[in-house]
Amino acid sequence: MAQPNNIGRGKKGCNDLWNTLLIDPPSVSHKKKTDSDFLSIRYSSEDSSFQDACYYINKHYQYTADPLTSGIVISYNSTTGKVSVITHL
C-alpha cells in the first residue's frame, strides 16, 4: 500500500474502512456506548510511528472494550494488509 497511514481521518477512519469493504456490514462505532455490533479502535502496529491499524471488537461474544481480552476481535494492519481474527472464547 503506497500510503498505509491513509486509513481515513481520526478514530472514525476505521469505521469508514469497515463500511467500504463490506457490502451489508454489521454496524460499527468507535464510541463504546452505542448499540453497534462492533467497536472499532485505531492503533499503531508494532514498529509503526503512526496509527496504521484497526481492531474491530465483536460486542456480542464475551465483550470487553479491551481487544486483548474480548471474545472475538478482528485486526487489520494497513501497512501489511494482514487481517487476523483473534478469539478468547
Side-chain angles (χ1 to χ4, degrees), residues 59-74:
K59 293 170 74 176
H60 298 289
Y61 300 96
Q62 297 179 10
Y63 168 72
T64 69
D66 181 352
L68 302 178
T69 61
S70 201
I72 299 174
V73 180
I74 299 168

Side-chain angles (χ1 to χ4, degrees), residues 50-82:
F50 53 87
Q51 292 185 326
D52 63 337
C54 300
Y55 284 126
Y56 298 100
I57 304 172
N58 188 305
K59 293 170 74 176
H60 298 289
Y61 300 96
Q62 297 179 10
Y63 168 72
T64 69
D66 181 352
L68 302 178
T69 61
S70 201
I72 299 174
V73 180
I74 299 168
S75 174
Y76 169 69
N77 182 315
S78 70
T79 300
T80 63
K82 182 177 179 180

Side-chain angles (χ1 to χ4, degrees), residues 22-75:
L22 299 173
I23 294 171
D24 187 17
S27 58
V28 63
S29 177
H30 62 278
K31 298 177 182 177
K32 293 178 184 176
K33 296 184 178 184
T34 67
D35 291 333
S36 65
D37 298 308
F38 285 82
L39 170 67
S40 70
I41 298 175
R42 190 168 181 164
Y43 69 99
S44 298
S45 66
E46 190 174 325
D47 299 326
S48 177
S49 61
F50 53 87
Q51 292 185 326
D52 63 337
C54 300
Y55 284 126
Y56 298 100
I57 304 172
N58 188 305
K59 293 170 74 176
H60 298 289
Y61 300 96
Q62 297 179 10
Y63 168 72
T64 69
D66 181 352
L68 302 178
T69 61
S70 201
I72 299 174
V73 180
I74 299 168
S75 174

Side-chain angles (χ1 to χ4, degrees), residues 9-23:
R9 292 187 180 263
K11 294 178 181 179
K12 190 175 173 291
C14 290
N15 297 2
D16 294 338
L17 177 66
W18 177 270
N19 290 322
T20 299
L21 293 174
L22 299 173
I23 294 171

